[in-house]
Amino acid sequence: MSDITLKTEYDERPVGVFDSGFGGASTLRNMLIELPYERFVYFGDNKNAPYGDRAEEEILALSEAAAEYLVHKGVKALVVACNTATSASINALRRKLEVPVVSVEPAIKPACLMPGSGRVLMLATRATTRLARYKALQARMPDPGRVINVGCSGLVERIEAGRLEFCELEDLLSERLSPFEGMEIDGIVLGCTHYPFIAPAIKRYANEHFRGECRLFDGNAGTARQLRRVLTERRLLASPKEAGERVSFFTSGDKESLEPVFRRLLEVKIHE
Ligand code: DGL
């Protein structure tokens, strides 16, 4: 008998996705559209959120634990749907895991390629703006000095609590963004996967306080396309048939109370 296992054309195993909490739901929305036959297992480390004010080693350890949890669930690929976890752990995860690992990245490139004389604000957690991986990305931009990095402590906690409205966020937005009052701002990069859920509030603040067009950018569509490329190249795509319930939700927090919030966020209308 031959011990050669013939690889089938399709792979029905799910894709694993994790974030410190609910933020990765904004990445997942894009992937559900880009890859309509795939199933996803989502892990939100809500008990340990936010990651963004923690030390690098701590974020690395939490990210490794989240990745291992998903690998044990039998995923065929992993998506790190958290900019903070990516900055602290992506190299280690790629070295360690046998499944392919795809990640999000702040979308400063399209923002910097926009014509205009204004600045680009990159909003992210303090950890992301501080860590070497992001700094190297910024240094590769044609005009790195155009980007102003703004570490936005506090926003993730509000979003985790489901407080997405402008009136719930205005005080914090003003604390973080008032130093740029009246400046010409061409673009704002949503460098944390939680922030697309408050894009309307950020846009409103920008319209009221900055000069310029101020387009918003997030990297989620690019991540979804990258996942499609990786699954295609490695012949890991699911077969083109209705997948039924496509998202399973797991959390380090209280699943009963958190799952309805997560499901609601998957439906929230995100617009610029
Ligand atoms: N969603 C996250 C990110 O993209 C993490 C936020 C946090 O836990 O501080 O950075």
Side-chain angles (χ1 to χ4, degrees), residues 164-177:
L164 310 180
E165 299 302 320
F166 183 76
C167 58
E168 303 267 18
L169 301 162
E170 190 178 4
D171 60 331
L172 263 185
L173 289 174
S174 161
E175 247 173 67
R176 307 288 172 247
L177 300 177

Side-chain angles (χ1 to χ4, degrees), residues 19-20 23 50-52 82-84 125 128 156 192-194:
D19 176 54
S20 63
Y51 282 4
C82 174
N83 293 271
T84 311
T125 65
T128 299
V156 166
C192 167
T193 53
H194 281 75

